[in-house]
């Protein structure tokens, strides 16, 4: 009888140790996957920031000072369109357009997250039009427009700087069993949002010398 009790006790202890081990492995896997995908999201954010900054610095390049009022064609929170001479072989203004629009919706159990794509379109007069998505973010109000004093302005002629705010998210986040099995939808949403928090954001002010002539 004592031997049977010992065997049962050993099985119980073994089962507990196995469960603890599995839980630890799951937590380790979650941290490993989320850390690596977070790093990828950060790298992608840096890449799209550099592309946008590079274009904004060219805003108004080669445009005569007398035509400065026409450099910015559109100045909205989700869209900016401006003129710049990109083709050095001529003096014909080309158009650079950035548009932020809803791209996809990701479902995490019962929580929905909207992803927005940043589309960059370059129209070179007399040549071609090139368009493509430069990045995916979670905010659609990425552009703010500032005057000479750094204050926000809605007057196109007063714009001297453009502030760009990008918030990225890791759509491949690893959800633990505890998050998925949360007591109710509210608790689950709170836990998911902790993992999906827009911590990968970048805000920068770009000053175009061609707007400050």
């Amino acid at each position: 009888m004592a031997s049977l009790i010992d065997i049962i006790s050993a099985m119980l202890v073994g089962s507990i140790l196995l469960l603890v081990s599995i839980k630890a492995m799951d937590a380790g896997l979650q941290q490993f996957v989320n850390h690596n995908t977070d790093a990828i999201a950060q790298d992608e954010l840096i890449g799209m920031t550099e592309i946008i900054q590079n274009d904004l610095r060219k805003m108004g390049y080669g445009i005569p000072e007398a035509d400065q009022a026409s450099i910015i064609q559109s100045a909205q929170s989700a869209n900016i369109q401006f003129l710049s001479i990109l083709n050095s072989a001529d003096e014909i203004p080309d158009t650079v357009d950035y548009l932020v629009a809803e791209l996809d919706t990701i479902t995490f159990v019962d929580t929905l997250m909207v992803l927005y794509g940043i589309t960059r379109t370059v129209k070179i007069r007399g040549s071609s039009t090139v368009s493509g998505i430069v990045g995916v973010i979670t905010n659609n109000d990425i552009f703010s427009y500032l005057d000479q004093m750094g204050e926000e302005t809605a007057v196109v002629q007063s714009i001297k700087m453009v502030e760009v705010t990008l918030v990225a998210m890791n759509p491949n986040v690893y959800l633990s069993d505890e998050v998925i099995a949360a007591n109710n939808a509210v608790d689950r949403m709170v836990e998911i949002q902790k993992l999906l928090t827009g911590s990968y954001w970048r805000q920068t002010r770009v000053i175009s010398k061609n707007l400050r002539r």
Side-chain angles (χ1 to χ4, degrees):
M1 184 68 177
S3 298
L4 179 60
I5 293 176
D6 290 340
I7 293 174
I8 295 175
S9 299
M11 292 177 62
L12 288 174
V13 172
S15 299
I16 293 173
L17 291 176
L18 179 61
L19 290 174
V20 171
S21 176
I22 292 175
K23 184 177 179 62
M25 290 177 61
D26 182 68
L29 178 61
Q30 179 184 8
Q31 291 183 356
F32 176 79
V33 171
N34 289 346
H35 175 76
N36 283 277
T37 52
D38 289 348
I40 293 174
Q42 181 66 35
D43 287 342
E44 291 176 347
L45 184 62
I46 293 173
M48 72 178 85
T49 301
E50 291 176 345
I51 293 173
I52 296 173
Q53 285 182 331
N54 184 57
D55 279 341
L56 291 179
R57 289 194 178 99
K58 295 177 183 176
M59 189 188 309
Y61 176 77
I63 306 298
E65 189 170 351
D67 298 328
Q68 185 171 356
S70 65
I71 291 176
I72 299 180
Q73 304 281 297
S74 175
Q76 303 175 41
S77 61
N79 174 244
I80 184 171
Q81 185 179 104
F82 58 87
L83 301 180
S84 179
I85 294 180
L86 304 176
N87 187 356
S88 58
D90 59 44
E91 296 183 356
I92 302 175
D94 306 302
T95 303
V96 179
D97 183 277
Y98 277 92
L99 177 65
V100 183
E102 185 174 332
L103 181 66
D104 196 7
T105 300
I106 303 296
T107 303
F108 296 96
V109 191
D110 46 18
T111 298
L112 299 179
M113 300 294 291
V114 178
L115 302 180
Y116 299 90
I118 305 176
T119 300
R120 173 182 182 267
T121 302
V122 178
K123 301 176 183 177
I124 300 177
R125 292 279 184 89
S127 179
S128 60
T129 297
V130 179
S131 183
I133 294 179
V134 299
V136 179
I137 54 177
T138 58
N139 63 312
N140 67 337
D141 50 346
I142 73 173
F143 298 113
S144 298
Y145 304 93
L146 313 175
D147 59 18
Q148 187 74 30
M149 303 301 294
E151 301 292 334
E152 286 198 29
T153 179
V155 180
V156 174
Q157 289 74 17
S158 299
I159 296 174
K160 303 301 178 183
M161 293 174 277
V162 180
E163 189 171 76
V164 182
T165 302
L166 303 176
V167 180
M169 182 195 76
N170 168 24
N172 299 311
V173 66
Y174 180 94
L175 301 181
S176 66
D177 292 337
E178 288 79 3
V179 172
I180 295 175
N183 292 332
N184 55 65
V186 175
D187 291 341
R188 184 160 47 245
M189 182 179 67
V190 170
E191 293 303 315
I192 291 175
Q193 287 181 336
K194 288 179 183 178
L195 298 174
L196 300 179
T197 181
S199 57
Y200 316 104
W201 67 278
R202 183 169 292 259
Q203 185 178 57
T204 182
R205 291 186 178 184
V206 180
I207 302 174
S208 174
K209 295 180 180 179
N210 304 295
L211 293 179
R212 307 191 76 174
R213 290 178 293 184

